[in-house]
Each structure stands twice: as C-alpha cells, then as structure tokens.
Amino acid sequence: MAALKAGSRLKSGVCDTQVMVIAAPDGDLDLTCGGAAMVDAAADAPGGDVDPSHKNGTQIGKRYVNEAGDLELLCTKPGEGSLAVGGDALTLKEAKALPSSD
Amino acid sequence: MNVMMLLEMGSQAMGERTGIQCGDDRWTIGELFAGAGRVASHFRGAGVEHAAILDVSSPAVPLALFGAGWAGLPFVPLNYRLTGDELDALIERITPALLVTDDQRAEQLRGRDGIQVVTREEFLGIARGTGEVPDPDWQMDPEEIAILLFTSGTTGVPKAAVLRHKHMVSYILGSVEFMGSDDADAVLVSVPPYHVAGMAALMSSLYAGRRIVQLPNFDAAEWLRLAEKEAITNAFVVPTMLSRIIDELEASGASSPSALRSLAYGGGKMPLPVIDRAMRQFTETDFTNAYGLTETSSTIAVLGPDDHRAAAAADSPEARKRLASAGRPLPSIEVEIRDEAGKALPPGQRGEIHVRGEQVSGEYVGRGSLLIEGGWFPTNDGGYLDEEGYLFIDGRIDDVIVRGGENLSPGEIEDVLHEHADVADCAVVGIPDEQWGEGVGAVIVRKSGSEVTAEDLQGWVKEHLRSSRAPQRLEFWDELPYNETGKLLRRKVKADLGES
C-alpha cells in the first residue's frame, strides 16, 4: 500500500483489526493483517479468510513494532489476524511500567 | 491522532465500567462516548471556533473535552476563580465560542458578542439526551489543536498554551497502559479542570479504565471522607492540598484512607517536611512525585514509590536529598541542563532545564513554537541532574537573584532553610539593593512555638552555603501566599516583603 502517515487509521481487509499509525518510515510498505493488505479505515474491506499462518490475533491497546523499530502501530480494535510487514510479523512493544502520576 | 480515539478504545473494551462520577451523577465509559458524540453534533451546529468551559469539575468537563475533539474544536477550560476584567479578557481571546458554565455565570454572560452560553445542566442534558450519536468521523490529523490552556499568569498576562492531539495522545500512550487498571480501582480528582494535571487525569484514567471520582471544591475533610467512602485507590494532589490533608489527619486522629494505594503529587515544589509527615501518616500508600509543565502536556519526570522509600531510608545525604527531587525523566522524554550559552552541562551543575519528546508542545497562541534547534524546549525552570540522573528543580529562571553579577538560585537557599528544624515554610526572593543591584530576601514561617531569630537563620545559611547567599532581609510571616493549585505567589512575596 501507499506510504503511511502518523495519526492515520487502517483496518484489516479480512478481520476486525483496526490500528492507528504512531510512527512509520518513508516510502511504500507492504503492511498486512491476517495475511491480507490493510486498507484505509474508511474504505470497504475486501473480505476473505484470515491466512492461518497470520492468525495470532491483535490486542486492543497494544503497540506493535517492526524489527527496525521505525514502524509502530497502536491496535485500536482487536481481531483474529496478526500484523506483518513484507511477510515479517510485527512484535509486541514492551509496556514500560510507570508509577501512576495522575 | 485524536484524543477521541482514546475514549473510543475505552468504550469498546470497557464500555460498562463506570468512567466518572460526581456526587450522584455517574457515567459509564460507553455513556461518555455516546455523550461526547451528541455534544460534538451540538458544537458543530453552533458554528463556533472554540468549546470552552468555565465551571468546577463535573462530568461536563470530559464530555466537552472529548466532544470538542470529535467536532474538531480546541477545548478551552477557563479558570473559574477569575472574575471581571481578567476573565473578560480571556473570553474575548476565544470568540466565537460555545461556553458551558454554571447558572449564575450563564446569566451574567448571556448576550455577549461571540459567546453562546449553555448551562452545565443543559449541556449534560444534551449529552444524556436522545440525539443520534454521529459516526466516529473525527479528524485524525495529529496537528489539530486538542486543548488551549491558559497558564496561571503568576508572572504576567496569561499565555494560551497550545496542546495538539499529537501531544496529548503521545503523553497517554507513553505513560499509561491501556486497561491497565483493575475493575475496582478509583481515582479521586481534586485538581481543577483548568490545570493540565486535571486534563491529564481524565484522559489517563479513562484509558486505564480507572473510575474517576470528582471532588469539585477541595476541602481536606471532604477529600478524606470521599476517599474512604469510595474506596479510592489513586489520587493526585498539589502540595498545599497534601499539607492540609495531613493537618486534618493529625488533628482528627483518624487513620489514612484504607484503600489508597498510590498518592501522586505535583504542581509546585513540595517542602521536604510535608512529604516526610505524609509518609508517616500514609504508611500503606505509595508516593509518586510528578514534575511537568502545561507546555509539556503534564508529567515529564517522576520520583516513584521505590525512590521515595530508598531516599527515606538512606544514610548518605546525597541519596536522602533525592526525596526533594523530581525523580527521573519518563522513558519517552530527554532532559538536558544547559548554561546560558546553550552548552549542555555535566551532572551536578545548575542551568536551565531543557526537554524534548513527542508530548512536548512548547507553543503559545500568537507566539508560535518556542522549541529551539533539535526540537528542545527551554522550560525556563532552573535545576540540575545528579550523578544517577535524578532531576532537581530550583524554580523559574526569572526568579534567579542576580547579586553583583553572581546568579543565586532561590531554590538552593530555600532547600537549606527548609532543613532547619524551626522552619515550617519559606520563600526566597530578590530584593532591590543599591550596592549589588539585587540582594537576597527571605520570608520564613516558623514552626509553632519556635523562637528562632533572623540572625540564627542567616548564620545557618552562611554555614551551609556561601555568605553571599545569606538573606540580608529576613521576615517572619504566619503563612506564605499560594494560589489554589499550590504555586507560590513569588510576585506577592516580593511586593509585600518590607511592607509589613
């Protein structure tokens, strides 16, 4: 798909997953969820089945990053599919335990 | 990005949880989401450029905050303690606006040019009403303005700090775990909505899934009563509030609220004796000191519970001193101490605190961004980092006393005075001096029964610091002037010193 913009919302073409882009590198990225290309949140989802090899699911409120660390997505709606770029699975970003300050 | 997205996520995953309560008025997170949508429609229909609130805490505050984000308008919480000309001047700066306020003010403000007045009750009625909730069609442009927050103006005309959606969302994502709170957790919010800590408390609690209990007008006895009754687990207070809460506990002999796990404080410098007393009264409670500015979307450094315990139990003066520090920067924040030429200083050296991070705005309406090269924000706060990265705050750079070309930090002198056993509170300010340009003035609040003299305290400062730092004028007052959010009114101290 086209280049990603921080702040924009995307959804899976094949499951309920929705994400917000927190950070993204320049250039086109092959971002998938459930094995199918992600689409703009406002677009129609093409539909279809989740690829069993991309079916680890997404969790709401979790942040996902690529290995290079320059792509970061926040899952705003969970789904069955899992996120990947160029076929490589994105990984959960470790939550930093902070004392509640407000 | 949009702050609405935070509420939407909360509504999807924890819609049935109580989001907020104030007196008998309760809203689930799901109801807040729907209410925000209805008020967003109302805002859009009003054709205004700002959504403002001039009122004490109530569920109308988060509804207006999120509804404004949904409608694409900046949310402006105004200081309800202001009156007359001061308030009129601020209102004029945000027209055309929709303004939510109490009945009495609504009467006074109705008919003003550019202001559409809605009472709190009317507003809550719209949010609770039968109006259709629009599709989640808020803008996701991270550059849109989420909040305009007027600074307290203790040093001049209030400035309107610009907090964009990207700043607030970054702050929440960087410091709060989504749904990280237990179902039974509850936070007592007693800071007013026009303070950045009040805004941050609403957003982080709804994102964490922590029930918010609002206390509109702070009163120590009422705070303690509510904390017990509502099984409050978390709270944030400014130093003056904490001081009054301890006074109340000590006077009544009551025990501290039984469910209170975490008590955070900030918004002004906490005198060491106050936190010492607090730790003795609240034996089962974790303490966190949060340091932040309006321009940084709230907290940028925290002194956590473990830091408090370590410092309280420490033998070395260096480690013990950390109880008076602001702790260490959040992982998402960088801090540098720089000298006047902009050169980064090593640990232990005092200079201006510079910060950098996604949540840092450093921007005011009409003045643009004050960020300098590399995205750093000069905070105008002086301070230093110790060898282990703990941040110590001296106070505003503007308050630095320039005595014969030598820069003296009031905070440094105040720290030494606070360590004197007879000093309950103190303030150090610059005073005019014919010979040196400026000299050191001090106001001391003695502990009850103390007969310590000015000479004793001047000698104490000389002993611990250089003689140039000893106050040349020293007065004893019954109390120091603070504003309601715990900020010392230095201008007033300066003006009144020598008058009494």
Side-chain angles (χ1 to χ4, degrees), chain B residues 334 338 355-357 371-377:
Chain B
E334 293 170 88
R338 298 187 180 182
V355 299
R356 178 162 75 173
L371 300 189
I372 58 173
E373 202 184 325
W376 289 92
F377 175 56

Side-chain angles (χ1 to χ4, degrees), chain B residues 410-486:
Chain B
E412 185 186 19
I413 304 169
E414 286 165 3
D415 284 347
V416 166
L417 286 166
H418 265 301
E419 281 165 26
H420 193 284
D422 289 297
V423 173
D425 203 358
C426 66
V428 169
V429 295
I431 53 171
D433 182 285
E434 280 185 18
Q435 188 183 355
W436 299 101
E438 247 188 326
V440 179
V443 175
I444 306 289
V445 180
R446 275 186 287 215
K447 285 199 179 146
S448 64
S450 159
E451 289 179 4
V452 72
T453 65
E455 290 72 34
D456 293 340
L457 292 172
Q458 283 159 336
W460 173 264
V461 174
K462 268 184 207 162
E463 208 177 292
H464 290 81
L465 297 167
R466 270 179 274 171
S467 62
S468 60
R469 283 151 172 84
Q472 62 197 64
R473 185 185 300 153
L474 196 147
E475 289 181 7
F476 296 102
W477 292 5
D478 293 337
E479 60 176 5
L480 295 179
Y482 288 97
N483 77 3
E484 70 287 353
T485 55

Side-chain angles (χ1 to χ4, degrees), chain A residues 5-10 16 18-23 41 59-63 72-78 93 95-102, chain B residues 1 5 8-9 12-13 136 138 140 142 171 173-175 177-178 187 200-201 204 207 210 234 236 262 264 288 290 298-299 302 304-305 330-331:
Chain A
K5 227 171 84 193
S8 57
R9 303 222 281 186
L10 306 169
D16 291 334
Q18 286 199 14
V19 299
M20 186 193 74
V21 181
I22 295 178
Q59 292 171 267
I60 187 169
K62 298 293 182 193
R63 291 191 277 174
E72 183 172 335
L73 306 174
L74 171 73
C75 173
T76 55
K77 203 171 175 188
K93 186 174 174 175
K96 301 159 200 133
L98 282 176
S100 166
S101 64
D102 46 35
Chain B
M1 279 177 211
M5 193 195 68
E8 184 189 34
M9 289 168 66
Q12 277 173 11
W138 52 83
M140 284 298 275
Y171 170 65
L173 298 184
S175 65
E177 195 192 335
F178 180 71
V187 58
S204 54
Y207 195 65
R210 199 185 293 130
N234 299 64
F236 174 91
S262 161
T288 298
S298 190
T299 308
V302 289
L330 300 186

